[in-house]
Amino acid sequence: MIVAIPTEMDSLNSKISERFARTAYFLFYNTNDDSYEFISHEMQQEHGAGTKIVNELSVRNVEAVISKNIGQNALQALKVGNIKAYIASAGNVKENIDFLKSKKLQEF
């Protein structure tokens, strides 16, 4: 499964970003083979950033996201795109991936 996570830095030890669509980086993590890629991603537009990023996630075949906050429009777009959204817990990116793998994260 490919999981997208908004992060503050391009490191698995990074904190998860407080912002979903306007994050500094997105981590794309494949839980099947533990491969990953960070993409620099700063959205500066005022409106519609959430739905725009969901379109990008769909193109990348993302099946789930882990985030602290997701706006209502982005959350609705994720549901329409059949992308599951999980609430990030305390801890860094790697810890949250481990929580997801062990089914310890709750869905939005």
Side-chain angles (χ1 to χ4, degrees):
M1 165 173 54
I2 299 174
V3 182
I5 305 170
T7 65
E8 293 180 1
M9 298 171 24
D10 59 349
S11 165
L12 293 178
N13 294 319
S14 173
K15 292 181 181 180
I16 292 179
S17 177
E18 295 290 333
R19 306 186 81 182
F20 176 66
R22 293 180 179 90
T23 185
Y25 296 92
F26 259 101
L27 165 65
F28 294 94
Y29 191 95
N30 188 325
T31 60
N32 296 327
D33 62 9
D34 293 322
S35 62
Y36 61 91
E37 175 184 16
F38 285 93
I39 303 293
S40 177
H41 182 85
E42 290 209 34
M43 276 284 205
Q44 299 300 328
Q45 77 186 66
E46 290 183 31
H47 301 289
T51 53
K52 188 170 186 176
I53 190 61
V54 171
N55 288 336
E56 289 182 36
L57 298 179
S58 293
V59 168
R60 290 181 170 267
N61 299 314
V62 169
E63 298 172 61
V65 299
I66 301 172
S67 184
K68 290 184 177 182
N69 300 299
I70 300 177
Q72 284 302 112
N73 290 339
L75 192 56
Q76 183 61 33
L78 289 167
K79 288 180 183 179
V80 168
N82 292 317
I83 300 172
K84 292 187 178 195
Y86 293 94
I87 302 168
S89 69
N92 65 27
V93 171
K94 179 63 175 138
E95 290 167 332
N96 272 274
I97 291 167
D98 291 340
F99 290 145
L100 178 67
K101 288 179 177 180
S102 60
K103 301 180 192 242
K104 292 182 180 175
L105 294 181
Q106 292 183 327
E107 286 190 50
F108 272 91

